[in-house]
């Protein structure tokens, strides 16, 4: 199982807001920045959030990131059917000395 | 335009070896940490290994330590992953990814991946 824990799935209606949690420990989320990735069906992962809450150029402000202690959260507002994808959190683990990802969360826009 | 193109995947018997390559273009390759990430069929992402700009620092996930070696050739703008003693659980799509300049380990560009299959 993954070092970082995400819910397997979340769902919400178009136009609504959803949050995806990522739980870790003091050796990863608690001490290192978190990134978030979106993987649309059949495509490669895309960076959505870095340094906990920053968006790369071209990522709409509907996507936001936050962190508190050893947990991080991805928020998506104004949900669209095109947001249906798998979402992953990732960071570095200072005890393991390698990068870690969450198990992924499948977002369904009903 | 940043491009990462992986190659070298294929079908290999348990205990065999493969060498993956990743050809980079559209950016100054020698300025960036590079990473390999894999994804088993129908599964999530797994971080595999990364390498510093000059190759002086390398890190590996525990499950591949001693079997896989990451390397790079900055004169050829290429990243490599040498894989030995392959196991069925190494079956995955292997992505080459560039680390964003920001602090931490964000990966801002990914290749399309190369598939490695090790039958059980």
């Amino acid at each position: 199982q993954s070092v970082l824990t995400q819910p397997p799935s979340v769902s919400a209606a178009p136009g609504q807001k959803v949050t995806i949690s990522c739980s870790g420990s003091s050796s990863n989320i608690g001490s290192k920045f978190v990134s978030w990735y979106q993987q649309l069906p059949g495509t490669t992962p895309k960076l959505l959030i870095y340094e906990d809450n920053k968006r790369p150029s071209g990522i709409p402000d509907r996507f936001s990131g936050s962190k508190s202690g050893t947990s991080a959260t991805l928020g998506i507002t104004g949900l669209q059917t095109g947001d249906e994808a798998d979402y992953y959190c990732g960071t570095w683990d200072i005890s393991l000395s390698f990068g870690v990802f969450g198990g992924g969360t499948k977002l369904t826009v009903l | 335009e940043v491009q990462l193109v992986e190659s070298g995947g294929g079908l290999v018997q348990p205990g065999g070896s493969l060498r993956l390559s990743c050809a980079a273009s559209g950016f100054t390759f020698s300025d960036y940490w590079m990473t390999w990430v894999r994804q088993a069929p129908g599964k999530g992402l797994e971080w595999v290994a990364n390498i510093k700009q000059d190759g002086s620092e390398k890190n590996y996930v525990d499950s591949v330590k001693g079997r896989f070696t990451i390397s790079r050739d900055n004169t050829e703008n290429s990243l490599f992953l040498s894989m030995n003693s392959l196991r069925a659980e190494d079956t995955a799509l292997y992505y080459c990814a560039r680390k964003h300049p920001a602090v931490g380990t964000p990966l801002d560009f990914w290749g399309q991946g190369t598939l490695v299959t090790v039958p059980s």
Side-chain angles (χ1 to χ4, degrees):
Chain A
Q1 61 235 53
S2 304
V3 172
L4 305 180
T5 301
Q6 297 180 234
S9 63
V10 296
S11 61
Q16 296 301 303
K17 174 182 178 177
V18 71
T19 59
I20 297 173
S21 61
C22 176
S23 177
S25 68
S26 58
S27 65
N28 42 67
I29 293 178
S31 52
K32 291 293 184 181
F33 284 117
V34 175
S35 305
W36 287 91
Y37 303 88
Q38 176 194 61
Q39 187 174 32
L40 296 168
T43 70
T44 62
K46 177 181 181 181
L47 180 65
L48 287 179
I49 299 289
Y50 66 96
E51 288 185 2
D52 296 343
N53 55 23
K54 296 179 181 176
R55 284 176 286 106
S57 166
I59 300 301
D61 59 8
R62 299 189 299 109
F63 295 91
S64 64
S66 63
K67 189 173 81 174
S68 178
T70 58
S71 292
T73 301
L74 173 70
I76 312 173
T77 59
L79 277 171
Q80 304 171 2
T81 55
D83 295 330
E84 287 200 334
D86 293 321
Y87 292 83
Y88 296 90
C89 56
T91 187
W92 187 261
D93 191 294
I94 58 176
S95 295
L96 299 174
S97 294
F98 53 78
V100 290
F101 289 104
T105 299
K106 182 176 183 61
L107 169 64
T108 301
V109 181
L110 302 167
Chain B
E1 178 194 5
V2 172
Q3 282 200 313
L4 297 168
V5 180
E6 302 92 338
S7 60
L11 175 65
V12 59
Q13 293 301 310
S17 300
L18 272 180
R19 189 190 195 213
L20 306 184
S21 300
C22 171
S25 61
F27 65 102
T28 303
F29 181 72
S30 58
D31 284 348
Y32 291 84
W33 280 80
M34 297 296 295
T35 301
W36 287 100
V37 175
R38 67 184 179 183
Q39 187 168 32
K43 302 296 184 182
L45 303 175
E46 181 180 31
W47 191 96
V48 176
N50 71 355
I51 185 169
K52 196 174 179 178
Q53 291 93 328
D54 62 359
S56 62
E57 185 175 339
K58 305 174 185 181
N59 299 285
Y60 300 91
V61 68
D62 284 346
S63 59
V64 309
K65 280 179 185 172
R67 300 189 299 123
F68 290 12
T69 301
I70 189 172
S71 60
R72 63 191 297 161
D73 183 340
N74 288 342
T75 64
E76 295 290 332
N77 295 331
S78 294
L79 176 72
F80 305 101
L81 186 67
S82 296
M83 306 186 295
N84 297 319
S85 304
L86 282 162
R87 307 166 180 167
E89 54 264 36
D90 296 318
T91 294
L93 187 63
Y94 283 73
Y95 295 106
C96 159
R98 186 184 85 167
K99 179 192 160 322
H100 187 284
V103 178
T105 56
L107 304 173
D108 61 354
F109 283 95
W110 299 60
Q112 292 300 308
T114 186
L115 182 63
V116 173
T117 303
V118 186
S120 54

